[in-house]
Every structure is written in structure tokens, then in C-alpha cells.
Amino acid sequence: MNWDNQDKDPWGGKNDAPDFDDLLKKFSSVLGAKKATSSNGSGSGGGGNKLSSSRIFLYAFFAFLIVYASQCIYQLDASERAVILRLGKFHEEQSEGLNFRLAGIDDRYVENVSLTRRYTQTNSMLTKDENIVDVTVSAQYRIANLKDFVLNVKDPEGSLRNAIESALRHVVGDNTLDQTLTVGRENIAFDVQNRLQAYLDTYQTGLLVQQVNIEKTDPPQAVKDAFDDVVAAREDKERLQNEAERYALSIVPEARGQAQARIRQAEGYKLEVVANAEGEVARFTNLLEEYSKAPEVTRDRLYLDALQSVLSNSTKVMVDVEGGNNLLYLPLDKIMEENKKQENSRINLRRVDDE
């Protein structure tokens, strides 16, 4: 391959490209580095400088266009939005992707509208029953309307901080100390969120409150020990009440059961007494009818029945002999015991024989 021929490329083609030295010379002449040595040269050089100045202006103009275009074209992420102000007046709101603005004329405000922001503050509040309590509240919020966020309020988040304090003071002022410290915290957070959102909508801040939490509620440090004693006493009171209620639930049903049992017994005794009385009345009526028919026979029968009833329950009998001075003693108890022993012996012998 022939490299000596400078007018041709290595593949035999004609090389029409300008020489590098020539390019340097032309560039030097454009910048005015090369000075004319003759008047003719000066005349011709003047025409060349005029042409070079126009080229410089053209190059500078294109360079300015490139830089200006790079400042005008920008890209937004999926979570970002931009508000464009043209000469201080709202022009448009731009979303994700490539966007265009007039640099130097348009003002651009870019914010992340998907980002959830958080703010926490602690303040001393006065409750409904005129007690002081330290409340720590936190709010989670995001930008819902970027145009309102940028244009309507100078410091939207500063307005949010002031609105939180105002809403919290209003709601805590409607609740007692006991509600604020114990069971009412969830309701307080809900009321604060609604009131805070109403304030922000009135101000047209473009902010949306997503959640409000009451992080902590404590009495002031100066009275914390006394308050702890009150809380402990309240817990003891509730514990004793629960124990009393539990004892009542265990003893009252038992007492009611015993009362019902006694009522049943009384009713049964009542029925028994009434039935016995009615039976005695019926027996006496029948006996009266028999007595009216045969008085002496009935009288003797009643006498014998009475003796039988008395003597059947007696274990000792004394017999008076007519015309004598001696009494006959019959030990019926001993006789009955002996008869029982003999009867038991016979029963045992029968069992042995059966086995």
C-alpha cells in the first residue's frame, strides 16, 4: 500500500479533505491571530475577517440555542409535578415525562406529590376541667393540589403547623383530663384531623391530611407524682369494684337458689298440712256419723284405739291387779330386744344355709 501519495487515501481514492495545518491557519485567522503584512493582504484580510465575524455570530447563536434548549427541556419523574408561571402568572401544570418551558421567562416549581410527609409537635394544653396536659401530636400529609400549594399560601407547611396547634387546642379544650389521658385519645385524634383538614381547605393550601395520631399525653412534670397517685387510686378502686361485682355474681345466684328451695319447701309443707287437716276433718266427719248410730260401741272403740296408740309406743307396762297391793311389771323393751336378737340369728343362719 502506497502512503507517499498525500493526495490519495490508502485505498487509492482521492483525498479531498483539508489539511490539518490549513485548518489551524484558518482558525487563527478567524480569531485575529494572523496579521496582514501588506495593504493588499490587509484588504483581502478585511473581507475575510468580515466573513469570519458572521460565522462567529452564527456559531455563537447556535451554541446559545443548544444551551437554551437544554434549559427549556426537562424531565419529571412519575411522582413529580411542576407548576409553570409565565411572567409571574400561572400558565400550566405539567406531569411526568419530558416537558418544555421558556427559560428566563417561565418560573418552574417542582414538588413530589406522592411523598407522605410527617410533622410532630408537643404543646401544653388546657382541658375542659381546667387542667394542664402535655400532648404530643403527629400528622401525616401530602400535596393534593400543587397549584394551590404554590400560589395561594406563602408557607403552606408553616400554615399546617399553626393549624395543627389551633385544632388541637380547640379539641382538647372540649375534653376532660381523664378523657385526654385515657380513653378519649382516639376520638381526639379523629376530631383534630377533621378540624385540621377544614382549616387547610379554608386556606386553600393544597394539602391533604392522611392521618393524625396522639402520640403521648402526660400531665405536667411538676404534678406528675401526684397524678400517678391519683391514677393508682383509680386503678385500686376499679379493681375492688370488679372483685365486689365478681363476688356478687357468685353469691347472689346461690342465695336466690336457696330462697327458691325454701319457698318450694314451704309450699310443700303447706300442701301437706292442708291435706292432713282435710283428711282429719273427713275422718272426724265419718266418725261422727258412726257415733250417732252407735254411741257406746264407738266410744269403746275409740278408747281401745287410744290405748293401743299409747301402749304401742311404750316399752314398760305396769299392770295393777284388782284387789291386790302388788304391781306387775312387764319389761317389754327387754323382751323386744331379745326377740330382735333371735330374729337376726335366724336370718343369719338362713343365709349360711343358703350359701
Side-chain angles (χ1 to χ4, degrees), residues 314-334:
S314 177
T315 59
K316 297 182 177 68
V317 177
M318 305 297 291
V319 179
D320 184 14
V321 179
E322 185 178 358
N325 294 326
N326 297 324
L327 293 175
L328 180 62
Y329 170 68
L330 296 177
L332 297 179
D333 53 346
K334 302 295 184 181

Side-chain angles (χ1 to χ4, degrees), residues 234 236-247:
R234 185 184 294 111
D236 292 339
K237 174 186 175 182
E238 293 178 355
R239 178 177 56 82
L240 294 176
Q241 285 180 346
N242 293 333
E243 291 178 357
E245 290 175 357
R246 185 166 56 251
Y247 176 74

Side-chain angles (χ1 to χ4, degrees), residues 34-38 41-43 45:
K34 185 177 180 180
K35 297 181 180 180
T37 58
S38 61
S42 298

Side-chain angles (χ1 to χ4, degrees), residues 94-105:
Q94 297 176 344
S95 59
E96 59 179 307
L98 289 176
N99 293 278
F100 177 80
R101 72 182 179 108
L102 296 178
I105 299 177

Side-chain angles (χ1 to χ4, degrees), residues 100-260:
F100 177 80
R101 72 182 179 108
L102 296 178
I105 299 177
D106 295 342
D107 293 327
R108 179 186 63 180
Y109 297 91
V110 179
E111 293 289 345
N112 189 336
V113 297
S114 299
L115 176 64
T116 298
R117 311 175 189 206
R118 179 183 176 90
Y119 172 71
T120 302
Q121 70 174 4
T122 301
N123 291 305
S124 296
M125 303 289 172
L126 186 65
T127 61
K128 183 179 181 179
D129 49 359
E130 298 183 354
N131 290 302
I132 297 177
V133 60
D134 293 335
V135 181
T136 300
V137 61
S138 65
Q140 297 179 3
Y141 63 96
R142 66 177 181 86
I143 299 174
N145 190 322
L146 184 58
K147 177 184 176 183
D148 292 343
F149 181 81
V150 172
L151 299 179
N152 292 338
V153 182
K154 181 179 180 180
D155 185 7
E157 293 180 305
S159 300
L160 171 72
R161 292 189 289 269
N162 295 331
I164 287 178
E165 183 176 356
S166 176
L168 184 61
R169 288 189 184 279
H170 186 96
V171 175
V172 172
D174 289 339
N175 291 269
T176 62
L177 178 65
D178 184 59
Q179 292 173 336
T180 304
L181 294 175
T182 55
V183 297
R185 293 171 58 178
E186 184 176 354
N187 293 331
I188 290 175
F190 180 76
D191 293 340
V192 169
Q193 179 175 349
N194 292 336
R195 185 170 292 274
L196 175 61
Q197 188 62 61
Y199 288 163
L200 297 177
D201 292 342
T202 302
Y203 301 155
Q204 295 182 356
T205 59
L207 295 176
L208 175 64
V209 180
Q210 295 177 311
Q211 187 175 5
V212 172
N213 294 320
I214 303 298
E215 302 288 345
K216 186 171 61 174
T217 54
D218 294 321
Q221 193 65 32
V223 296
K224 190 174 187 306
D225 294 337
F227 182 80
D228 291 340
D229 294 338
V230 173
V231 173
R234 185 184 294 111
E235 292 177 351
D236 292 339
K237 174 186 175 182
E238 293 178 355
R239 178 177 56 82
L240 294 176
Q241 285 180 346
N242 293 333
E243 291 178 357
E245 290 175 357
R246 185 166 56 251
Y247 176 74
L249 292 176
S250 63
I251 199 67
V252 169
E254 182 179 356
R256 289 176 179 173
Q258 293 178 358
Q260 293 295 328

